[in-house]
Amino acid sequence: MPKALTVTHRRSFTPRLALLAATLLLAFGAALSQADSSAADVAPTDVDERADTPLEGEALERRLITIDSSGGTQSGNLRFGPIVYEHPERDGIVATVSTLTIRAPRAELRAPDEVLLSQAQGRREADFDGGIVVTRGRLTATGERLAYSEATGLGVLSGSATVVIAPAIEGEDEVVITAEQVVFDVDTDISVSEGSVLLVNGDQTAEAERLLFEEARDLGQLTSEDGRALVTRQGDEGPLTIEADEIRVLTDLKALYAVGDVVVVDGPITSRGDVVFYDDDEEVAEVLGAPALAVDESAGVRLETDRIRQDVRFRFVEAIDATVPTTYSADQFALTGE
């Protein structure tokens, strides 16, 4: 049994190195501060507040829904609603709201009680069922039902909800998301998947209870209110796992940012830190902590320092010198509005 080796790094700091180290510490602090910032500021979660906000001008136009049932039937009260739209084809009814398109075989449009549909713009609700297809940009989603509210600008897709986001560059991996429900915000390009969320992107999978995804930026934020977020990468030498309180992914760059008691496990090597950046193309994790810790059980190595490089391809760890700049920064993973 090899004897454990404890590696302690002591460096003499020149003024230039001290300044660089201070800069890195500030960046580290900013990363932790950003992690503490609630995504509720940019996520469609405060439904009551949105519903109570009066709509006018562009905001009103953006949330108005139009329903085309050409070739199908309409029934119900055409003045006060509800109006029921039915079509023999599964995608025969086509509804549009902002950049979102909804296809279904059945829909129902309602207004508040005793209010004319024509005078209820901004307060109407529409339900779709019988198998739904939602499209927006590179995104296609399917589910059993969708409920949309003009007052909130949110469409909730439920029933075996699946989202597929095509890559921005042909030949790259698509993103596939499954969840109990997906909430689409028509004011932005944000979707929020909730309940047993699974994201698959190439050889990487991510699990959490909630995923906020900015579609244009291919940026996802994974959290679990009562648990942890987990990313698993399948490799030739076995899986790499990264577990943390919060994980953000840039799926187009194959990059990851994890914060909050982060644990990286790659075979016999386990690293722990407060912040981790992972570059899948380079197969390298940078572990930051005060201090960070890496243990290689097979080699009997224990490394404890502020910055650790964990090389997944060649399975080794080493200290990162203070003069070496970081590949990524927390700002690259910041959500819109943070």
Side-chain angles (χ1 to χ4, degrees), residues 44-45 47 97 100 102 126-129 132 134 141-150 152-159 161 179-186 190-194:
T45 54
V47 176
V97 51
L100 205 68
I102 306 162
D127 290 337
F128 303 83
D129 57 54
I132 313 300
V134 177
T142 58
E144 293 300 318
R145 300 168 296 280
L146 186 141
Y148 174 70
S149 166
E150 290 181 340
T152 64
L154 303 178
V156 181
L157 178 69
S158 59
E180 294 175 8
Q181 71 172 31
V182 181
V183 181
F184 297 97
D185 183 357
V186 304
I190 290 175
S191 62
V192 177
S193 303
E194 297 175 312

Side-chain angles (χ1 to χ4, degrees), residues 28-109:
F28 177 44
L32 292 177
S33 175
Q34 177 174 303
D36 291 337
S37 176
S38 172
D41 294 337
V42 293
T45 54
D46 197 341
V47 176
D48 292 337
E49 181 178 343
R50 292 177 69 130
D52 292 338
T53 302
L55 294 175
E56 58 184 16
E58 292 183 4
L60 175 61
E61 290 296 324
R62 185 169 53 244
R63 293 190 186 177
L64 293 182
I65 190 166
T66 60
I67 300 176
D68 181 0
S69 62
S70 300
T73 61
Q74 294 183 25
S75 60
N77 190 323
L78 299 182
R79 296 184 64 217
F80 289 92
I83 301 176
V84 176
Y85 305 84
E86 294 180 294
H87 203 284
E89 298 180 7
R90 287 185 60 85
D91 60 352
I93 294 173
V94 181
T96 56
V97 51
S98 186
T99 58
L100 205 68
T101 301
I102 306 162
R103 291 178 170 84
R106 185 182 184 280
E108 181 177 307
L109 181 66

Side-chain angles (χ1 to χ4, degrees), residues 21-335:
T23 302
L24 288 170
L25 286 173
L26 286 173
F28 177 44
L32 292 177
S33 175
Q34 177 174 303
D36 291 337
S37 176
S38 172
D41 294 337
V42 293
T45 54
D46 197 341
V47 176
D48 292 337
E49 181 178 343
R50 292 177 69 130
D52 292 338
T53 302
L55 294 175
E56 58 184 16
E58 292 183 4
L60 175 61
E61 290 296 324
R62 185 169 53 244
R63 293 190 186 177
L64 293 182
I65 190 166
T66 60
I67 300 176
D68 181 0
S69 62
S70 300
T73 61
Q74 294 183 25
S75 60
N77 190 323
L78 299 182
R79 296 184 64 217
F80 289 92
I83 301 176
V84 176
Y85 305 84
E86 294 180 294
H87 203 284
E89 298 180 7
R90 287 185 60 85
D91 60 352
I93 294 173
V94 181
T96 56
V97 51
S98 186
T99 58
L100 205 68
T101 301
I102 306 162
R103 291 178 170 84
R106 185 182 184 280
E108 181 177 307
L109 181 66
R110 299 184 306 278
D113 291 343
E114 300 181 0
V115 178
L116 291 168
L117 279 169
S118 60
Q119 296 177 355
Q121 290 188 341
R123 293 180 291 164
R124 299 176 302 179
E125 296 179 348
D127 290 337
F128 303 83
D129 57 54
I132 313 300
V133 178
V134 177
T135 55
R136 176 166 65 182
R138 293 182 284 118
L139 178 149
T140 301
T142 58
E144 293 300 318
R145 300 168 296 280
L146 186 141
Y148 174 70
S149 166
E150 290 181 340
T152 64
L154 303 178
V156 181
L157 178 69
S158 59
S160 302
T162 300
V163 176
V164 178
I165 302 173
I169 301 175
E170 187 175 353
E172 296 294 323
D173 295 318
E174 65 183 10
V175 176
V176 180
I177 303 163
T178 57
E180 294 175 8
Q181 71 172 31
V182 181
V183 181
F184 297 97
D185 183 357
V186 304
D187 292 344
T188 68
D189 69 339
I190 290 175
S191 62
V192 177
S193 303
E194 297 175 312
S196 303
V197 178
L198 176 65
L199 180 151
V200 179
N201 180 221
D203 59 5
Q204 291 191 30
T205 61
E207 301 171 55
E209 284 303 308
R210 185 176 186 272
L211 166 65
L212 183 150
F213 201 88
E214 293 191 15
E215 296 154 21
R217 297 176 60 202
D218 293 304
L219 171 62
Q221 178 202 41
L222 295 142
T223 55
S224 294
E225 184 175 347
D226 298 321
R228 306 261 283 165
L230 174 68
V231 168
T232 303
R233 176 190 181 275
Q234 297 296 336
D236 295 336
E237 301 298 323
L240 164 77
T241 62
I242 301 174
E243 185 178 2
D245 293 339
E246 177 183 334
I247 296 176
R248 300 189 184 190
V249 291
L250 286 166
T251 57
D252 60 335
L253 297 179
K254 303 288 187 182
L256 175 152
Y257 163 58
V259 292
D261 190 21
V262 189
V263 180
V264 182
V265 179
D266 178 33
I269 302 176
T270 299
S271 298
R272 294 177 179 272
D274 299 307
V275 174
V276 166
F277 294 101
Y278 179 71
D279 185 326
D280 191 54
D281 287 337
E282 297 296 326
E283 297 184 61
V284 170
E286 180 175 346
V287 186
L288 307 177
L293 172 67
V295 176
D296 184 345
E297 294 181 350
S298 63
V301 171
R302 177 185 176 91
L303 176 62
E304 193 170 342
T305 185
D306 292 340
R307 298 173 66 200
I308 294 174
R309 169 189 167 94
Q310 181 169 343
D311 192 305
V312 175
R313 184 176 302 164
F314 298 105
R315 278 199 170 157
F316 70 87
V317 293
E318 63 181 359
I320 302 176
D321 191 89
T323 60
V324 178
T326 57
T327 303
Y328 294 100
S329 70
D331 289 343
Q332 292 173 273
F333 297 85
L335 299 169

